Amino acid sequence: MSIKNYSLGQVGDYEIKQLKVFKTVVDCGGFSAAETSLNIGRSTISLHISNLESRLNLVLCKRGRAGFSLTEEGVIIYKMTENLIESLDEFRTTVNNLNSSLTGKLRIALSDKVSLDPRSHFPELIQRFSIEALDVSITTNISSMSNIERMILNDEADVGFIPYHRKLDGLDYVHLYSDNCYLYCGKSHPLASLSEVEQSEQADIFPATHAGLKPHEAVSHQISHMNLTAISYFYDSRLALILSGQYIGFLPEAYAQPYLEKGDIAVVAPNERSYTLGVAVISKKTAQPNKPRELFLKVLHQTVDELVVAPY
């Protein structure tokens, strides 16, 4: 990196706008790809980046036939821009939360299928929250349990809906319901035609798909001796592997029931192969005010009639 005798001086709204354009271009992988996200033309984007480079007295990126890439200085400025925008968002959120009016964002992260499970009350929660918080914008994101935990702890999300089998010290949990999970195989799988005793004896021989997470004790007891050859966290993809007739795997009973009734899948040794999986709403233990999150949790406690104790 070259050393330049240059002083940036005061950074204002215009520079911040240019930095946001720069970040979007990097996130999208180039000028053309960023046009849709920024809703401006490529020539305007190029002008913003050129003006930013002049203002910073740095070359941030290379563009041409070889494609888009960052310079060494560009990598550093991109990382600093991420930190700056995150700090500005945090500042804005804190100020909004300190004011009497309820504004800002509520960021919700969910595991797959939870939002449409009637036991989660999710549509009702959103309805009641939105009526009380007209000026709060809601964003939702679907991800895995471990990633949702990380997002909550890193302040990338405010509340999360997850199937869970552990409690982390930095998180609060509101247990919603529990799923009974059973082992299933496709209708063409060899196990489908066997007796329950034979299924129990032979289940560990066949290739199995699993979530790829460190399991709690009840799950570990069930899968520790299985032939775990395919990882599939999300239920849809796991079900597809089971439907192929090549894999067996655990699914929540409520999710599997329609496919079981149609005869597409069969339950394997139900009296021997099952475990309980809890579903909870999680949030970060923090003293920092967050009115949208606090209101959502209040609505949650008002909506769910009986918050039962988690089974573990």
Side-chain angles (χ1 to χ4, degrees), residues 2-3 12 15-16 54 63 82 92 98 114 121 124 144 151 160 170-171 197 215 229 237 246 252 263 269 271 274:
S2 61
I3 300 175
E15 286 83 5
I16 292 174
S54 297
R63 53 267 200 194
E82 282 189 312
R92 185 184 301 108
L98 291 174
V114 173
H121 301 276
E124 185 181 354
S144 65
M151 291 170 68
L171 298 176
V197 173
T229 58
S237 54
Q246 301 301 307
N271 293 314
S274 67

Side-chain angles (χ1 to χ4, degrees), residues 183 199-208 210 215 217-229 248 250 272-273:
L183 186 62
Q199 287 177 338
S200 182
E201 292 174 346
Q202 299 183 35
D204 292 338
I205 300 173
F206 295 95
H210 65 115
E217 185 176 350
V219 180
S220 179
H221 175 72
Q222 290 291 343
I223 71 173
S224 59
H225 300 293
M226 294 180 69
N227 182 15
L228 304 175
T229 58
I248 60 175
F250 283 94
E272 298 290 334
R273 304 280 179 151

Side-chain angles (χ1 to χ4, degrees), residues 22-290:
F22 169 64
K23 180 180 181 300
T24 302
V25 170
V26 177
D27 291 340
C28 292
F31 287 36
S32 297
E35 287 183 286
T36 301
S37 296
L38 292 170
N39 197 28
I40 56 177
R42 182 174 178 178
S43 59
T44 305
I45 295 173
S46 180
L47 181 61
H48 277 300
I49 299 301
S50 296
N51 289 342
L52 177 63
E53 289 178 323
S54 297
R55 180 71 175 86
L56 300 179
N57 198 29
L58 294 170
V59 177
L60 301 178
C61 55
K62 300 175 183 177
R63 53 267 200 194
R65 292 184 178 180
F68 176 85
S69 63
L70 291 178
T71 62
E72 183 180 353
E73 291 87 350
V75 171
I76 295 174
I77 295 300
Y78 174 75
K79 292 179 180 178
M80 295 300 295
T81 300
E82 282 189 312
N83 294 335
L84 174 62
I85 293 174
E86 182 178 338
S87 296
L88 288 172
D89 287 341
E90 184 177 350
F91 175 79
R92 185 184 301 108
T93 298
T94 301
V95 171
N96 287 335
N97 287 324
L98 291 174
N99 279 287
S100 57
S101 60
L102 191 59
T103 58
K105 296 180 180 179
L106 178 69
R107 302 163 299 172
I108 305 174
L110 306 105
S111 188
D112 68 325
K113 305 304 177 187
V114 173
S115 61
L116 292 180
D117 191 305
R119 296 170 296 175
S120 74
H121 301 276
F122 188 71
E124 185 181 354
L125 288 169
I126 296 300
Q127 180 190 44
R128 295 184 64 178
F129 174 84
S130 298
I131 291 173
E132 295 191 43
L134 293 174
D135 295 325
V136 175
S137 63
I138 296 175
T139 61
T140 61
N141 184 30
I142 303 295
S143 192
S144 65
M145 184 196 80
S146 57
N147 194 47
I148 292 174
E149 290 173 330
R150 180 195 62 77
M151 291 170 68
I152 298 293
L153 290 171
N154 291 342
D155 294 317
E156 297 172 15
D158 300 308
V159 292
F161 286 67
I162 62 169
Y164 72 103
H165 53 70
R166 62 181 178 182
K167 286 196 173 183
L168 301 181
D169 290 338
L171 298 176
D172 284 321
Y173 293 78
V174 178
H175 180 80
L176 293 179
Y177 58 90
S178 295
D179 268 317
N180 293 319
C181 297
Y182 292 94
L183 186 62
Y184 295 93
C185 67
K187 63 182 180 181
S188 62
H189 194 279
L191 285 173
S193 60
L194 300 181
S195 68
E196 185 170 345
V197 173
E198 292 173 320
Q199 287 177 338
S200 182
E201 292 174 346
Q202 299 183 35
D204 292 338
I205 300 173
F206 295 95
T209 175
H210 65 115
L213 300 173
K214 182 179 180 181
H216 68 80
E217 185 176 350
V219 180
S220 179
H221 175 72
Q222 290 291 343
I223 71 173
S224 59
H225 300 293
M226 294 180 69
N227 182 15
L228 304 175
T229 58
I231 294 176
S232 183
Y233 174 82
F234 292 108
Y235 293 144
D236 280 354
S237 54
R238 198 184 311 171
L239 173 62
L241 292 177
I242 294 171
L243 289 170
S244 74
Q246 301 301 307
Y247 294 91
I248 60 175
F250 283 94
L251 292 170
E253 181 181 19
Y255 176 71
Q257 190 62 30
Y259 301 92
L260 186 65
E261 292 176 354
K262 290 190 295 184
D264 294 332
I265 61 176
V267 64
V268 176
N271 293 314
E272 298 290 334
R273 304 280 179 151
S274 67
Y275 61 83
T276 300
L277 184 66
V279 174
V281 174
I282 61 172
S283 58
K284 184 178 180 180
K285 292 179 179 179
T286 176
Q288 184 175 357
N290 185 319

